[in-house]
Amino acid sequence: MTLTSILLRFFLLLTIPVLSIFYAGLIVAVFLSISGGVLRTLGFDQIQMGIWPGIELPVALSIPFALGVSLLLIIGAFYTRRFIRKSLRMLRMNRLD
């Protein structure tokens, strides 16, 4: 084993737990985003949605905005999960190309 192979394994072992926690956080954020959009549409004034500071999103657009944000989060979670699987496969196969 060369030094680069050992270092690559080390970094892969460090990234797997970090990415796993990141993946779990993305999944939780998807559910929070959708539930926030639905609750705001139903009339909960405590939930605020803004595009940028000082500009609030209309209540009627809460669910579409929440679904759009959730879609972006799901795409990010998909690629994160894919990278976790690839990292695990590389570690398991003793192959680091």
Side-chain angles (χ1 to χ4, degrees), residues 3-86:
L3 181 63
T4 57
S5 174
I6 293 171
L7 284 175
L8 187 58
R9 281 180 184 271
F10 175 71
F11 286 123
L12 283 174
L13 284 172
L14 287 179
T15 58
I16 290 171
V18 172
L19 288 176
S20 298
I21 292 171
F22 181 67
Y23 176 72
L26 285 174
I27 298 300
V28 169
V30 166
F31 291 117
L32 288 177
S33 173
I34 292 173
S35 64
V38 169
L39 288 175
R40 184 165 188 252
T41 302
L42 293 177
F44 285 88
D45 294 332
Q46 293 84 6
I47 299 174
Q48 299 176 356
M49 289 185 175
I51 300 172
W52 52 80
I55 298 182
E56 288 293 319
L57 194 69
V59 176
L61 294 177
S62 295
I63 291 179
F65 185 74
L67 290 175
V69 170
S70 296
L71 178 67
L72 292 175
L73 291 170
I74 288 172
I75 291 170
F78 172 74
Y79 282 109
T80 303
R81 181 174 171 231
R82 199 164 135 185
F83 186 71
I84 291 170
R85 285 180 149 186
K86 183 178 179 180

